[in-house]
Structures are given as structure tokens and as C-alpha cells.
Amino acid sequence: MSRRQPNIVFITTDQHRADCYSFARSDIATPHIDSIAARGTRFDRCYCPSPICQPARASLLTGVLPHTHGVRDNGIDLPDDMIERGFAAQVKKQGYKTAMLGKAHFSTQHTFEPTGRPECRYTMADHYDGWTGPYMGFDYLELFIDGPVKWPYWTPPQGLHFTRWLDETGAGAHAGKRYDSGKRPASAAQQVHTPDLPLNWHTSSWLGDRATDFISRYEDDDPFMLWVSFPDPHHPFDPPSPYDRMYDPQDVDLPKHRDLDLGRRPWWHSASLTGTPQTNEEFREIRENLSRQKRLTDRQLRDITAAYFGMISLVDHNVGRILAALKAKGLEDDTIVVVSADHGEFLGDHGLLFKGPMLYDSLIRVGLIAAGPGIARDCKVDQVVSTLDLAPTFVDLAGGTPADYHGQSLRPALETGTAQDDMRNHALIEWGLAASRCGIDLDLFTVVTRDYRATFENLSGDGEMYALKDDPYELNNVFDDPAFAAARAEMEAIGSTRPDDARREPLPIAGMC
């Protein structure tokens, strides 16, 4: 079978570090994603445009930076005026059928009041029975919105497609209690446990089912653009059996630098961990108790890492199922598969967990792997790129002409397996935090090049900079070091190339996340 336009399957994970694939480290197994890298091209210096879910996902869809699409932090809805700019709407113009399965998070779930969006806790019930889109440029959707096997425990008619599936199987009434009744490690590691749930109830298994079903049922003559969005390995770290036992905590490698060295960092590192979120009592308690890490022992970090790896390997298993479904349908040679993530995870680096306004490499660098017709095989590109580049790349691969994107099409690099002379060799990252998150207002702007990472806090004028070639663990802040004044000026000059299209008025905060 041969198509003029390839199908495109875009697979993303949530909070997945760039070094947590088996082609990057020996203590984790991701054979199916590795197989994509082996028959395709991977980018080892890919950065996300924001290290937090909603802004990063809005940028994945639209190809523009957060202050332009307006979702500067979690809790802000992607506005309708950005839908047409998204790659889903653009590839539809090239004749593609578009679908999204799994976690969208283009709109706020935990809102202050009803918003009318399908992801809003107050109005998701209106989209429970029979709704499959359209939404954000996608024709067809089946979505996971947290529970009932994650926090919080949505019950019918809330939770959209995953909850409805659980309820139809007769499992919905028991899932929440069984999730809570699982075992926890003796180390009392934060947010780690094995839920007492069968493997097929897990969201990654359900998503593998939905993706393989979509592929097996597809009979349209038009090509498809399918986004399969896994909600793992985002915390809580809760792999089901047998993936909870796949990794021995004693065998995982811990970061070389895992001290909470706040005294060596800019002021906002410490302030963000100790400030009181300025929001309602419900959201403040969640921010302080669930989104803020506690002090870590090595034993706890080993338990967390083993669980995190188990979640990744379960996702990888379902990636294998997707690849098998494409082969069984005869679409393997007609489909480009792209794997990436919204952002990373600290996983103990600098004594930190989860994510926060400390933009270390482990949080802002993600995997980017692609394979399929026209893509160079077994190649590695070291050029600095961004997931901002994916929207224009998808439009280009679909036969369109990318326009109005902050990213650039990676198609030439994918076809040759090498960096191109006209490619930008830097990435820009933005995060605008209100005091409702951690008690302080911050406006962080980061520039990453081959040799440096500089973060500017625009409200105070402070910053940090690291010489990555000689300081890969980002230990020595040279922001105010006279010996690096020229390098800092160069980073500022690169930052000034950001397009002048940021929103003049900030979008309203709709809720927490």
C-alpha cells in the first residue's frame, strides 16, 4: 500500500525526562520506542517551550510560545482564537482526518466556576454521553480526565470517556476504593504506591486499547493525524502490577547531584518552595500537600525512580501495541510515528521532585523520535530544537506550508538525519507564574543554546546562567560572573529575537490546573 500523504501518529508522554529511554541509560527498558529510534531519527537536544502541562501542550498544538497563545501557566484555558492556528486545524485543510486520544489538557479541569469546556469539572458532564468532538481542531476524541483511578475520583457522569468505559464494564463503582487500597513502600516515598487494580483498568492500558481500536477500524481513504497522549509517567507514581516489580529500587541509578542546594541558587528557588499560594483553601491545600516535594532520602528516591520507570515501561508496552496495529493494518510503511513529551521531571536532581520554577535540564529537555516514510534511518541529531517545531513539521509533512509559527519545520533534518545550516540552534522557554501557584509572581524566560542555559526573571531582573559544556549538572551559576559577561550578552541578544506578538493583556485564571 502506498499513499501520497503519510498518516501521522503523534505519541506523547507526560512529565517524561529525555534521558529515560533505554537508548539513553541502561537501567530502564523501552524496547518499542527504541525500535522507532533505530529505524528513524532522534533529536537529543529537544526542549519544551514551558515546563508545565497546560502551557506546554498549548504550544505543542499551536507552535507558538506561551505569552503568545496566552496559556502562561496551568489554570488558564487555551483561547478559541488559537484553534485555527493549531496543527490539527491546519492538517485538516490538507485532507486529513484528525483524532486525539488520552490527555488533552487544553482547558482547565479544576476551575473556580463553569467554563462550558469538556475538560471543566463543572461542565464535563454535559459531554459525557455520546460526545466525541469536535474540539481544538480534532474531529474525533476519546479523553481521559484524571480519575477514577487517579486523583480526583470522577464518577459518572463526569470524567468523560475513560470513566464512562469503566462504568460500562461494571468497574466504576469499585475503582476508586481499589486504587486507594494498594500497597505503599516502607520508605513512605512521596506519592508512590501500587494500586489494587487489574492491569487493563490502568489508563495506559485503556489508551493502548483505544489507539489500536482506532487504527484497526480506520477505513477512510483520507490520511489520518492521530495524537495518542499518555498521562504517565506523571505523578502519582503508581504503576500497576506487574510493572511495580519490574525494577528493583536497588538497581536504579540516582542523580550524581541530589542535594537541595538552595543557598547556591537565585532567590525564587527557595521562595517558590516556601511561599503560601494565594488562592482559595481547596487549591492552596493541593498546591502545598500534593504539588510540593518533601525532603528526600536516597531510599525514597530509589522507590520513586523504580515506580517512575515502571510507568514508562507500561507506556512503552502500549507503544508496541500501536506499532503492531499499524503493521497488522498494512499501514506501517505509510505512517510516520513521532514520540515526544510535554515536559520533564526532576526525579531527584538538585534534591527536587516533580516540576517547578527551577528550569534544570531534567525538566526542560524531552525526547523527540520519529520514523516512517521519507525519514532517515538510525540517525541522531544534536542540534538544539524545540517541541515548538512539531506543529510546523506536521503541517509540512501533511503537504501544507507552515506559517505564523515560532517553531520551524524539522522535515529537512528528518529526511537527511542531520542538522541543517539554516536551523536555529537555540530554544526559548517561558513560564509566567502568578502568586496563586507558590505565593510569588514570577515571569521566567529561558534561552538554551549548545553551550549555555540562561534564565531571566523579568520582574526582578535577576537570573541564572550555566556553562553546560563544562558544567553539565548546572552547579555553578555564572550569571553575574564578569568572565561570562560576553556569553550572557549573547544569550540576551538571542532572547531579544523572540517575536513581538505576546498578548498585551493576560488571560484570566480559570482555576488551578
Side-chain angles (χ1 to χ4, degrees), residues 65-139:
L65 286 159
H67 285 311
T68 297
H69 57 60
V71 187
R72 62 193 182 276
D73 194 5
N74 280 356
I76 299 170
D77 291 353
L78 182 64
D80 290 340
D81 62 19
M82 296 305 301
I83 296 175
E84 189 65 20
R85 202 164 182 171
F87 70 76
Q90 292 300 309
V91 301
K92 283 173 65 174
K93 294 179 180 180
Q94 305 306 315
Y96 277 71
K97 296 297 173 61
T98 57
M100 183 174 197
L101 308 173
K103 179 177 179 179
H105 213 179
F106 299 134
S107 303
T108 307
Q109 301 168 20
H110 307 288
T111 59
F112 297 120
E113 58 188 28
T115 65
R117 294 283 181 92
E119 299 183 83
C120 168
R121 63 178 174 176
Y122 294 112
T123 52
M124 63 176 67
D126 299 335
H127 301 81
Y128 189 78
D129 289 321
W131 180 83
T132 56
Y135 183 53
M136 294 295 168
F138 293 95
D139 300 307

Side-chain angles (χ1 to χ4, degrees), residues 24-90:
R25 58 190 295 168
S26 61
D27 57 345
I28 188 172
T30 55
H32 301 294
I33 298 175
D34 277 27
S35 74
I36 300 171
R39 63 183 180 89
T41 294
R42 80 176 198 251
F43 295 84
D44 281 354
R45 295 290 305 278
C46 181
Y47 293 85
C48 58
S50 181
I52 200 79
C53 292
Q54 278 183 266
R57 289 166 178 274
S59 290
L60 278 171
L61 180 66
T62 64
V64 299
L65 286 159
H67 285 311
T68 297
H69 57 60
V71 187
R72 62 193 182 276
D73 194 5
N74 280 356
I76 299 170
D77 291 353
L78 182 64
D80 290 340
D81 62 19
M82 296 305 301
I83 296 175
E84 189 65 20
R85 202 164 182 171
F87 70 76
Q90 292 300 309

Side-chain angles (χ1 to χ4, degrees), residues 9 13 22 26-27 67 140-142 252 289 337 351 363 410 448:
V9 176
T13 46
S22 47
S26 61
D27 57 345
H67 285 311
Y140 180 82
L141 303 100
E142 294 186 56
V252 299
N289 295 331
V337 179
L363 185 62
L410 300 177
V448 181

Side-chain angles (χ1 to χ4, degrees), residues 80-344:
D80 290 340
D81 62 19
M82 296 305 301
I83 296 175
E84 189 65 20
R85 202 164 182 171
F87 70 76
Q90 292 300 309
V91 301
K92 283 173 65 174
K93 294 179 180 180
Q94 305 306 315
Y96 277 71
K97 296 297 173 61
T98 57
M100 183 174 197
L101 308 173
K103 179 177 179 179
H105 213 179
F106 299 134
S107 303
T108 307
Q109 301 168 20
H110 307 288
T111 59
F112 297 120
E113 58 188 28
T115 65
R117 294 283 181 92
E119 299 183 83
C120 168
R121 63 178 174 176
Y122 294 112
T123 52
M124 63 176 67
D126 299 335
H127 301 81
Y128 189 78
D129 289 321
W131 180 83
T132 56
Y135 183 53
M136 294 295 168
F138 293 95
D139 300 307
Y140 180 82
L141 303 100
E142 294 186 56
L143 299 182
F144 160 81
I145 309 289
D146 286 341
V149 297
K150 293 274 191 181
W151 174 90
Y153 305 131
W154 300 124
T155 57
Q158 291 185 308
L160 296 182
H161 302 88
F162 176 70
T163 298
R164 189 173 67 199
W165 171 80
L166 271 180
D167 191 51
E168 290 171 350
T169 65
H174 313 289
K177 290 182 179 179
R178 290 189 61 174
Y179 178 83
D180 272 342
S181 65
K183 62 183 179 181
R184 287 167 170 76
S187 69
Q190 189 174 0
Q191 294 203 41
V192 177
H193 84 289
T194 303
D196 179 26
L197 295 171
L199 181 61
N200 69 308
W201 287 13
H202 193 275
T203 52
S204 292
S205 301
W206 173 80
L207 189 50
D209 290 343
R210 303 323 306 143
T212 55
D213 182 69
F214 177 91
I215 293 166
S216 67
R217 289 189 296 105
Y218 195 80
E219 298 293 345
D220 204 300
D221 290 335
D222 294 328
F224 62 80
M225 167 81 218
L226 171 63
W227 186 348
V228 183
S229 179
F230 287 93
D232 279 350
H234 192 292
H235 61 286
F237 307 111
D238 56 357
S241 177
Y243 288 88
D244 64 320
R245 303 186 302 276
M246 187 170 179
Y247 297 95
D248 187 331
Q250 297 307 310
D251 294 336
V252 299
D253 294 330
L254 298 184
K256 289 184 172 61
H257 181 79
R258 51 187 184 273
D259 297 322
L260 193 63
D261 55 355
L262 298 175
R264 304 171 63 185
R265 308 298 156 200
W267 64 271
W268 72 81
H269 287 220
S270 177
S272 67
L273 294 174
T274 58
T276 300
Q278 302 302 301
T279 185
N280 65 31
E281 186 66 16
E282 176 194 7
F283 293 164
R284 182 196 61 75
E285 184 176 349
I286 291 169
R287 290 282 190 219
E288 291 184 339
N289 295 331
L290 295 179
S291 300
R292 187 175 284 178
Q293 91 280 351
K294 302 175 175 65
R295 294 273 180 171
L296 284 169
T297 67
D298 280 1
R299 183 181 177 188
Q300 290 172 330
L301 184 54
R302 289 187 180 281
D303 285 336
I304 290 168
T305 304
Y308 182 76
F309 285 4
M311 296 164 78
I312 291 172
S313 286
L314 175 55
V315 169
D316 181 78
H317 168 75
N318 284 284
V319 170
R321 295 178 62 201
I322 293 169
L323 299 178
L326 290 169
K327 185 174 183 179
K329 189 70 172 178
L331 297 176
E332 183 178 36
D333 296 332
D334 301 301
T335 303
I336 292 173
V337 179
V338 179
V339 178
S340 192
D342 59 352
H343 56 78

Side-chain angles (χ1 to χ4, degrees), residues 411-423:
R411 182 174 181 175
L414 288 170
E415 292 177 340
T416 63
T418 59
Q420 304 297 295
D421 292 340
D422 60 349
M423 289 174 62

Side-chain angles (χ1 to χ4, degrees), residues 377-425:
R377 297 178 66 91
D378 195 19
C379 292
K380 182 176 70 172
V381 179
D382 290 328
Q383 193 94 348
V384 174
V385 298
S386 170
T387 54
L388 279 175
D389 300 328
L390 288 173
T393 300
F394 293 147
V395 174
D396 197 0
L397 291 171
T401 301
D404 298 324
Y405 292 110
H406 292 167
Q408 59 187 342
S409 174
L410 300 177
R411 182 174 181 175
L414 288 170
E415 292 177 340
T416 63
T418 59
Q420 304 297 295
D421 292 340
D422 60 349
M423 289 174 62
R424 289 189 296 271
N425 198 14

